[in-house]
Each structure stands twice: as C-alpha cells, then as structure tokens.
Amino acid sequence: MSNERNVTIVPPAIYTGIKEVPIKPAAAGIPAISSSLYHISEEMGLWKGIKTLMKLNQKEGFDCPGCAWPDPDHRSVLGEYCENGAKAIAEEATDKICDPAFFARHSVEEISSWSDFQIGKSGRVSDPMYLPKGELYYKPISWEKAFELIGEEMRACATPHEAVFYTSGRTSNEAAFMYQLLVRLWGTNNLPDCSNMCHESSGVALTETIGIGKGTVKLEDIYHAKVVLVVGQNPGTNHPRMMSALSKCKGNGGKIVHINPLPEVGTTQFVNPQSPVDVLTGGTKLADLYLPVRIGGDMALFQWVQYQLLKRAEQGEKLIAENFVQEKTAGFAEWKNHILSLNTTEALAATGLKESEAMALVDMIASSDEIITCWAMGLTQQKHGVATIQEVVNIHLIRGAIGKANAGVCPVRGHSNVQGDRTMGIYEKPKPAFMDRLEQYFKRPFPREEGYDVVESILAMEQDKVGVFICMGGNFISATPDSERTGKAMQHVRLTVQVSTKLNRAHCVTGQHALILPCLGRTEKDVQKGGLQFVTVENSMGIVHRSQGINEPISKNLKSEPAIVAGMAKAILQGKDGLDWDAMVEHYDVVRNHIEGAIAGFDRFNERVRTPDGFYLPNGPREGRFTTQSGKAHFTVSPLEILQVQPGYFVMMTIRSHDQYNTTIYGLDDRYRGILNERRVVLMNEEDMREGGWQHGQEVDLVSIYKGAERRAERFLVIPFAIAKGCIATYFPETNCLVPLEHTADKSNTPVSKWIEVRLEKR
Ligand SMILES: Nc1nc2c(c(=O)[nH]1)N[C@H]1C(S)=C(S)[C@@H](COP(=O)(O)OP(=O)(O)OC[C@H]3O[C@@H](n4cnc5c(=O)[nH]c(N)nc54)[C@H](O)[C@@H]3O)O[C@H]1N2
Ligand SMILES: Nc1nc2c(c(=O)[nH]1)N[C@H]1C(S)=C(S)[C@@H](COP(=O)(O)OP(=O)(O)OC[C@H]3O[C@@H](n4cnc5c(=O)[nH]c(N)nc54)[C@H](O)[C@@H]3O)O[C@H]1N2
Ligand SMILES: [Mo]
C-alpha cells in the first residue's frame, strides 16, 4: 500500500542566480578564514562560535563532524580545524530550531517543496515528532509513546527481516555498537549504511588483496613519503586538513601527483591559513604532476602503468621488489602474463591522456618505493571501482610499497566515524570471526544470514518487504540513487523512524507513518546519570579516540544516540534479552566494556582511550603481515573493460561543491571552482561546447539512459570548465534522480554515482 501524501522527492528546479568569478590559483588562505567566520556568526553567533572552534579536534574537545582525517600530534592552539570543519559545526550548533510550532506551521508537503538548502537552514529538530497515517503535519509525541509505537510496529513484522536499520557514518562507536547489538538480538543483519554508497569498493578490494578493509598508512608516513598519488579525490574541499599533511610532505621533498578529470584547485596550491608565512607568500604549490584522466579511465591508466613498469624492468631497471614479491605475495606470474597481454593503444586511449603525461606517472612511480596512494569517491563509485583499486594495490605490490614506513594505501574516508561504525559491526555481511566473538561474549546465537545493503533495501521496500525502516542519522532520500524511485519505495514502508539532528528531505518523504527522534550532536554536552559522558570514534587511519561536546544542548528534549538505542531496545525486545540497557546509558564505560569483550583490538579500552591521543587498532598489513587466508598479499587479474557512451552522450559525475556536507547544503557557493550562488550547473569542456553548439549559460535538461530507461532532471546551466573531454560534472544531490538504482559497482554494489550516461536537451 502506498501513501497519499503529495511530497516532492527530487529537489525542486529553481535557480538562485548564478555569479561566476575567476578561479583563485590557491586554496584556503584568508578567504577560508572569512568564510568560516561568516558561517559561524550566521548560525550561532560569533562568541559561541569561536568558543566552540577552540575545542574542535583538541585532545579534550570533540571530534570534528566533518571528515575522518586524523589529527596531528601537535595541534594548533588556535584550533585544529579547517574552513569546512567550521561550517560543519556552525551547521550543527546553529541556534535555529524546528520546534513543534514550526511543524504546526509547515506541512510535510510544503517543506518538501523547498530546496535541500532551505530545508537544512530550518535548523535543529528540538522535540520528538510524529506524522500519523494519512496526515500532513508532524505533531509532538512523548519519548515513551514514540518507543512504544516502534515496539508495536516491529512486533507486527512477519519476520525479523522485515525491519531494516540504516546508519550514517557520524554515529559514535558506543551508539553503533549498541545499535548493531539491538538489531542482531532482534534477529537480522539488515544493517545498510552510508559506506554502501561510499568506500565499500575500497573495503572489498583491500580485504581480498591485503586482508583488511582499511588503509595501511599513518599520518607521519604521508609527511615522509617520496611520492603521494591523490586519485579521484578533492581534498581542498572534502578533507582540507589533508592539505597540511601534503604540504608537509612537499616540505620534506616529496612529490604529489593529482589524477582527476578536474584540476581541483585545492590539490594544486595550498595556503595554510594558520601560517602567516604561507598567507604572505601565496602558499605551497602542491601537485607536481596533474593528469586530467577521463572519468572511469583510471583502471586503464593503472594497467598501462603496470605494463610500462614491467617493460622497463625487462630492460634492467630495478623496478620490481623481488624479495618482497617472492616472500609476501601470491599471483605474480599470472598477473604478469595478463598485463603483458594488454592492448596498450586501447588502454591509453581510454585514459584520455597523452602518452607523455601517462609516462610521467610511470617515472614518478619508478623514482621511489616510498609511495602512498590516496583515493576517494572518484575511484569507488565506479562500475569497476573494486578492480580499479586492486590495480592500485598491484602497483604497490610490485614496488614493495606497502607494509613499511612512508608507503602504503590510503582510502580517505568520508564521514567522521564511518570506519568506526564498521569496526563496531554495522555491516550487513558480518565476518564469521566477528560473529563468533560476539556470540561467545554474549553467550547466545546471532543471525548469520546476510542482510540488505542500501540498494537491496530500496528494492525490498519497493517489493513491500519492509515494514519498519529505522535510520540512525543520514538522509536516505537525498543521498540515495534514483531519487524518484527511492522516494516512492520509501512510501511503501509502514513506519519510518529518523534519529536526526537537523531537518532534511527524509523527514518529508516517509513511510505511512513516521517519527523524528531528535538527538544530541557532537558539539553538545551529553550528561547521563553517571555524569558528563564522552564517546569514541575511529579516524581514517585507525586511531580510536575520545570526543566530548562542550555546548549546552539546543533543547532539553533531546536524547543522546545511545539513550535512543536503549529506549528502542527496551521497547522492541521487552526485556527478553536480559541485558541491562539502562546501565549502558548511565555510563558509557559500560558499553566500552562490552566492546572490549566482544570486539578484537579493544583491550583495556576504557583505560587506553583516556590517554590524550587515543590508540591505534591492530593493522597487520601496515606492518607487512598480510591477513588474507593465505597470509600473502594478492595480485589481482582483472580484464580491462572500457566503458563507452553512445555518440552525442556525455559521462557525468555527481560531485560535492565547496559549500555542502553531502546532503547538508551550507551555502550556494563553490568558491574553488569560481561558481557562486548557484548549484544547478553542468560543468563542460569548452571544446565539447563548441562541437555540440552549447552556449555559456544555456539552459538545459539532463537525461540519463540506462538499459533503455530514461531519467530526467530539469533546468541546469551549462558552464565552460577545465574538465576532461567527453565528461560533465553536476552536484549531488540535485542529480541523484539520474543515477540508476541497478547500476552498481561489481562486487561492492555501490551505486555508480560517477559514471552516468547523459545527454543534454535544449529547453
Ligand atoms: N566539506 C565536505 N567534506 C566532506 C564531505 C562533504 O560533502 N563536504 N563528504 C564526506 C564524505 S561522506 C566523503 S565520502 C568524502 C568525499 O570526498 P571526495 O571523494 O573528494 O568527494 P567528491 O566531491 O565526490 O569528489 C570526487 C572527486 O573525484 C573526481 N573524480 C570523479 N570521477 C573520477 C574518475 O573517474 N577518476 C578520477 N581520477 N577522479 C574522478 C572528481 O572530479 C572529484 O574531484 O568527503 C567527506 N568530507
Ligand atoms: N549522486 C551521489 N550520491 C551520493 C554520493 C555522491 O558522491 N554522489 N556520495 C555518497 C556518500 S560518499 C555518502 S557517505 C552518502 C551520505 O549519506 P548520508 O550519511 O545518509 O547523508 P548525510 O547528508 O551525510 O546526512 C545528513 C543528515 O544526517 C543527520 N545528522 C547529522 N549529524 C548527526 C548526528 O550526529 N546524529 C544523527 N543521528 N544524525 C545526524 C542530519 O539530520 C542531516 O540532515 O551519500 C552518498 N550519495
Ligand atoms: Mo561518504
């Protein structure tokens, strides 16, 4: 049964008034400081803002809800943050609230007709709210009633698998652990998470080849590496503190290679806003080599590079780490045969690069074995994402550039605790070793069958197989692919529950009835019976550390995420599980003791996490102990399949602007790309514009095709840009409606958000 509300699923096609400005040659610097100050004073007042910023990422402060980049040992006393971290906390610690009066004024139909920017700017949800069946306005509800309702609807499910539990990667370790425990006690592994849309391809690729689904480098390794490849990643916007690490690397004589269809300014030149010298001198030039690869061309590029390395090795250059390959790896001979059979002309053509450009990369990789490769969504959200990342691993294996100092692989994570959530068991395909230990510790069996990932959850909703859908954070409507289809699927669910800080589209496009459970944010004090609590998170390099909020909560009627999970657990399980959920909420040390017992690597958790810097989780591959079944690192053979679009079509990638955090839109400017006050743009190569007769500023509709079906997004403005030929770029989430639900990466099932076959239509 679908519901009757006439809500807007796809962000409305309204222009905001574009301004184009010349692109500044360097990232960060003074404009970054003024932008930070603007956002914090708009949202929370300058005084509260500065006080909050001073505690950001400090040893006694809270972890930035922005990205998962690690903190350096010596932190700046002025605050260890970046412009976008400042925006992230301004957005969370905003004084604006969506209280019951707000919800009485605005129906879900009305709110959904606003842009994601407008919805987000409404502020923080202050009270638990309930949207009854068939109604259009949320009403306040007590916490007790809300939990009761969840319990009732859960018990109305015919099997435990009719309930699905999503997690966004900001959830703390403590909340995530309790949540997965509740889900498994209830009887399912339906634990989709944002990782499924993010670094899943990295996890799969690395687990198969080196035995751990995480990166192998520490921050210091980046400082001292000789060559750092930054592939399919825009750190100037999405991991700004990585720029300081790259500039240290440069200072130590390292070289940086940037592989990207867009010459992202942040990776080209960086002015450290915390360094007066940098500000005066215009900063550090970062990228020594920039390769404008075609979208999806990286796999061909890496195979071509491997071929050249082999050829040069045949001619006597010492490019193959023979001892390492012999002692620590498997599959070399087969891989070598496969690479030597490469059609190099075809491969090079697929990259869109000149031979001299690609050869410059070979030279870089040949110049040292202290190589680090960093990557993000440009590699993972591709049909061949897993295979492409395995080509990266192949290169590191031949060079012996892994499992030792200043070398290794570095998938740069997105959400601030997405890696920790996986460690805590937020995973629809839990590993047997994880489940064995969980069962031993809690002395009971847990379900072993695989649950739904994100795409499978949407398909299950569509087929009326989901009765209750609970979201621990996130925005399941705007972040997911195929917006129209996903939105309709969501309306098949009986009850949807959103544990949230801020208002978003997923609060409007809901199941038949819906709850919003408002929670404390990272910046806020979390006081329980046992006193002021802290939580823990794991950063992109596997360090577990504390995070403690400092601000008064924006409303007295918020609960912490652990308290909300406990409330749900008691209502759903009704005491049959025999666990003391109240004790876990009273003091999070109790949760951490459970984690210590149930998850490997957390010995003396409560003690070690109280040291100022936290502690590293065990990581065999980092020390050269590969934790695959064979104990060796594996070369991977992947046939090169070159994806092509039909004549007249473009390959489109959906990317982030400088003023957004995923579906939270901070502002309308993409400063580093020179596009201000407008998000409905299509970045296009000037030659393509000339050839296709597209004018600067022309209004177009975008139509994607996949297996004969067309999807349409209306009203975008064509903007000439230095982007690889044949490629266009638009912003996520405005064009998620063009991403086909079934077009997912092989093995990881990640939606292919960076390779969408699209044509433009004149309006
Ligand atoms: N301020 C801010 N910080 C964030 C986020 C945010 O939205 N805002 N999001 C967080 C999250 S969850 C994540 S996952 C990360 C995302 O961090 P990124 O992965 O940097 O984010 P995207 O904007 O998706 O950028 C992808 C980059 O890959 C390039 N690219 C696209 N296709 C290809 C390709 O085929 N080959 C190559 N070589 N490059 C390609 C694009 O041009 C772009 O530079 O950032 C995290 N940090
Ligand atoms: N087309 C396209 N789609 C993409 C991507 C892309 O590059 N292109 N990127 C994908 C990626 S990498 C990711 S990670 C996903 C992101 O998917 P999600 O994680 O689902 O989306 P977010 O926009 O990060 O979620 C924002 C919401 O989280 C809630 N929130 C914020 N802080 C907290 C908190 O502390 N606790 C709780 N409970 N809630 C909180 C707020 O209500 C906010 O509105 O999107 C994916 N979708
Ligand atoms: Mo992400």
Side-chain angles (χ1 to χ4, degrees):
M1 187 184 121
S2 102
N3 79 42
E4 312 287 295
R5 295 180 196 106
N6 188 17
V7 284
T8 312
I9 300 169
V10 175
I14 304 163
Y15 293 127
T16 40
I18 190 163
K19 277 186 247 147
E20 290 172 68
V21 294
I23 297 175
K24 295 242 168 60
I30 298 292
I33 298 183
S34 47
S35 167
S36 313
L37 292 178
Y38 170 79
H39 281 271
I40 59 169
S41 56
E42 279 288 292
E43 296 289 341
M44 60 204 279
L46 206 51
W47 173 237
K48 179 176 166 194
I50 287 174
K51 198 181 88 186
T52 311
L53 279 182
M54 303 271 282
K55 281 287 180 194
L56 181 56
N57 291 330
Q58 296 298 324
K59 296 182 185 189
E60 298 299 323
F62 58 92
D63 183 59
C64 181
C67 70
W69 191 255
D71 307 310
D73 282 348
H74 302 286
R75 294 175 206 186
S76 162
V77 282
L78 287 175
E80 185 57 49
Y81 62 90
C82 67
E83 172 192 353
N84 278 346
K87 290 186 207 160
I89 64 157
E91 200 71 24
E92 179 190 298
T94 180
D95 291 331
K96 296 175 193 136
I97 54 169
C98 302
D99 55 8
F102 169 92
F103 286 105
R105 276 198 308 276
H106 306 290
S107 71
V108 286
E109 287 181 354
E110 183 196 344
I111 299 170
S112 72
S113 73
W114 305 344
S115 67
D116 291 70
F117 173 61
Q118 281 171 294
I119 297 177
K121 289 293 172 196
S122 307
R124 289 277 300 275
V125 182
S126 64
D127 296 83
M129 301 299 300
Y130 177 53
L131 182 64
K133 280 186 187 148
E135 296 193 18
L136 295 178
Y137 289 85
Y138 273 99
K139 303 183 162 69
I141 184 173
S142 69
W143 281 101
E144 295 70 34
K145 281 255 156 46
F147 291 140
E148 248 171 58
L149 192 70
I150 296 171
E152 273 166 28
E153 282 289 17
M154 292 282 285
R155 284 188 293 281
C157 290
T159 81
H161 308 302
E162 269 186 24
V164 179
F165 304 80
Y166 176 71
T167 311
S168 164
R170 228 176 300 206
T171 299
S172 66
N173 287 337
E174 289 74 4
F177 180 81
M178 292 169 71
Y179 190 53
Q180 63 82 36
L181 181 60
L182 155 63
V183 173
R184 295 192 164 112
L185 287 165
W186 160 255
T188 184
N189 283 311
N190 282 342
L191 281 161
D193 73 338
C194 68
S195 248
N196 299 145
M197 301 183 272
C198 185
H199 264 294
E200 196 73 87
S201 302
S202 309
V204 172
L206 295 176
T207 305
E208 281 184 2
T209 51
I210 62 170
I212 193 169
K214 303 181 181 183
T216 67
V217 304
K218 297 182 173 179
L219 203 45
E220 298 72 48
D221 295 321
I222 296 197
Y223 299 159
H224 301 290
K226 291 288 182 298
V227 178
V228 178
L229 310 186
V230 180
V231 195
Q233 192 200 345
N234 178 17
T237 286
N238 297 315
H239 305 91
R241 288 180 309 132
M242 177 173 167
M243 313 286 287
S244 316
L246 292 177
S247 86
K248 273 199 185 132
C249 170
K250 286 283 294 192
N252 291 330
K255 295 257 192 299
I256 290 161
V257 183
H258 181 205
I259 305 177
N260 199 311
L262 292 177
E264 303 288 18
V265 72
T267 321
T268 318
Q269 179 111 351
F270 169 61
V271 181
N272 185 349
Q274 288 161 0
S275 152
V277 177
D278 255 22
V279 171
L280 288 176
T281 57
T284 319
K285 178 175 173 294
L286 287 181
D288 297 275
L289 176 64
Y290 165 60
L291 301 180
V293 70
R294 200 170 274 165
I295 299 174
D298 306 83
M299 183 173 170
L301 174 62
F302 294 138
Q303 289 203 354
W304 190 88
V305 165
Q306 291 167 42
Y307 178 91
Q308 303 301 339
L309 289 170
L310 280 176
K311 284 287 162 192
R312 282 164 66 159
E314 276 176 6
Q315 284 151 21
E317 278 185 66
K318 287 236 164 308
L319 294 180
I320 297 174
E322 279 169 15
N323 289 344
F324 175 87
V325 168
Q326 204 156 32
E327 283 164 27
K328 304 248 173 160
T329 73
F332 178 79
E334 203 190 328
W335 161 82
K336 185 175 168 184
N337 283 340
H338 157 70
I339 288 297
L340 287 177
S341 70
L342 183 72
N343 180 335
T344 49
T345 317
E346 215 176 77
L348 187 65
T351 67
L353 299 171
K354 296 190 204 91
E355 183 167 353
S356 58
E357 291 173 315
M359 199 55 93
L361 176 60
V362 179
D363 291 338
M364 281 278 185
I365 291 170
S367 71
S368 172
D369 56 6
E370 292 185 332
I371 307 169
I372 291 177
T373 306
C374 303
W375 70 87
M377 298 303 103
L379 291 196
T380 64
Q381 297 173 340
Q382 299 284 359
K383 177 79 181 144
H384 300 128
V386 172
T388 305
I389 294 160
Q390 291 179 333
E391 300 299 352
V392 170
V393 174
N394 285 343
I395 292 180
H396 280 263
L397 295 183
I398 19 175
R399 300 291 290 124
I402 190 166
K404 63 176 192 182
N406 313 334
V409 292
C410 180
V412 183
R413 298 283 160 179
H415 266 302
S416 51
N417 197 40
V418 62
Q419 189 159 313
D421 290 348
R422 267 292 157 87
T423 307
M424 291 299 116
I426 303 290
Y427 194 14
E428 78 283 355
K429 301 180 186 67
K431 301 240 164 63
F434 176 90
M435 295 307 292
D436 291 346
R437 188 153 170 171
L438 198 69
E439 289 187 343
Q440 271 163 20
Y441 177 76
F442 285 107
K443 300 192 177 63
R444 67 195 78 195
F446 284 110
R448 295 285 181 136
E449 56 276 60
E450 289 183 3
Y452 301 136
D453 64 16
V454 164
V455 168
E456 290 161 348
S457 299
I458 298 166
L459 292 170
M461 289 175 188
E462 216 167 47
Q463 295 158 15
D464 291 316
K465 289 186 189 157
V466 182
V468 179
F469 184 59
I470 299 180
C471 290
M472 188 54 60
N475 179 349
F476 202 83
I477 293 298
S478 299
T480 43
D482 232 341
S483 317
E484 195 76 55
R485 196 168 156 191
T486 300
K488 290 200 175 116
M490 183 75 87
Q491 294 176 325
H492 286 229
V493 179
R494 281 202 314 276
L495 175 69
T496 52
V497 180
Q498 305 286 337
V499 179
S500 307
T501 49
K502 298 203 69 172
L503 193 65
N504 68 46
R505 195 168 295 281
H507 301 122
C508 305
V509 183
T510 65
Q512 291 159 23
H513 56 160
L515 284 165
I516 309 177
L517 304 181
C519 65
L520 292 172
R522 280 272 174 85
T523 54
E524 290 166 327
K525 284 183 192 159
D526 182 352
V527 181
Q528 303 293 345
K529 276 196 191 142
L532 185 63
Q533 302 297 310
F534 64 83
V535 291
T536 62
V537 291
E538 175 184 341
N539 66 31
S540 203
M541 290 175 184
I543 301 171
V544 178
H545 64 95
R546 278 177 299 165
S547 173
Q548 187 168 46
I550 56 154
N551 291 335
E552 290 306 321
I554 51 108
S555 149
K556 292 203 163 36
N557 210 6
L558 305 181
K559 281 188 189 292
S560 72
E561 287 184 340
I564 295 173
V565 178
M568 291 198 289
K570 291 199 296 182
I572 293 169
L573 305 170
Q574 297 184 302
K576 292 187 198 106
D577 54 305
L579 295 179
D580 190 347
W581 295 90
D582 290 331
M584 295 188 230
V585 179
E586 189 169 323
H587 207 299
Y588 300 168
D589 276 0
V590 176
V591 187
R592 285 186 285 270
N593 285 336
H594 286 315
I595 294 174
E596 174 171 341
I599 300 182
F602 286 86
D603 318 323
R604 298 185 291 112
F605 188 10
N606 272 308
E607 183 190 326
R608 286 195 296 158
V609 83
R610 284 178 163 82
T611 55
D613 294 315
F615 60 92
Y616 275 99
L617 286 175
N619 184 322
R622 179 181 278 153
E623 280 106 45
R625 279 181 296 103
F626 296 102
T627 37
T628 54
Q629 274 203 326
S630 65
K632 306 245 179 192
H634 292 263
F635 280 94
T636 314
V637 170
S638 312
L640 180 61
E641 188 197 346
I642 297 168
L643 300 177
Q644 310 276 12
V645 292
Q646 302 172 37
Y649 280 74
F650 291 91
V651 181
M652 183 181 85
M653 55 181 177
T654 55
I655 55 174
R656 292 155 171 79
S657 83
H658 192 61
D659 260 4
Q660 73 184 84
Y661 193 90
N662 300 340
T663 68
T664 302
I665 314 299
Y666 301 142
L668 300 172
D669 296 347
D670 196 1
R671 201 174 73 240
Y672 293 166
R673 300 194 184 108
I675 298 164
L676 307 185
N677 205 45
E678 185 61 73
R679 294 180 51 82
R680 303 193 73 83
V681 292
V682 189
L683 310 185
M684 190 188 279
N685 181 293
E686 275 185 275
E687 244 176 86
D688 286 334
M689 284 179 65
R690 261 197 311 279
E691 285 169 16
W694 304 105
Q695 307 299 317
H696 187 161
Q698 181 170 357
E699 202 182 345
V700 295
D701 292 342
L702 303 172
V703 182
S704 74
I705 53 156
Y706 183 72
K707 294 201 170 153
E710 294 199 344
R711 293 166 172 80
R712 181 174 288 270
E714 294 187 340
R715 302 192 80 193
F716 290 81
L717 304 171
V718 176
I719 303 297
F721 210 83
I723 181 170
K725 221 170 159 274
C727 302
I728 56 176
T730 55
Y731 299 131
F732 139 58
E734 281 80 353
T735 45
N736 281 37
C737 54
L738 298 176
V739 183
L741 186 63
E742 296 94 346
H743 192 208
T744 59
D746 298 340
K747 290 189 182 174
S748 65
N749 211 25
T750 295
V752 179
S753 302
K754 299 284 193 271
W755 201 100
I756 306 153
E757 184 167 5
V758 167
R759 71 167 184 270
L760 273 59
E761 286 185 0
K762 295 197 167 98
R763 282 187 65 94

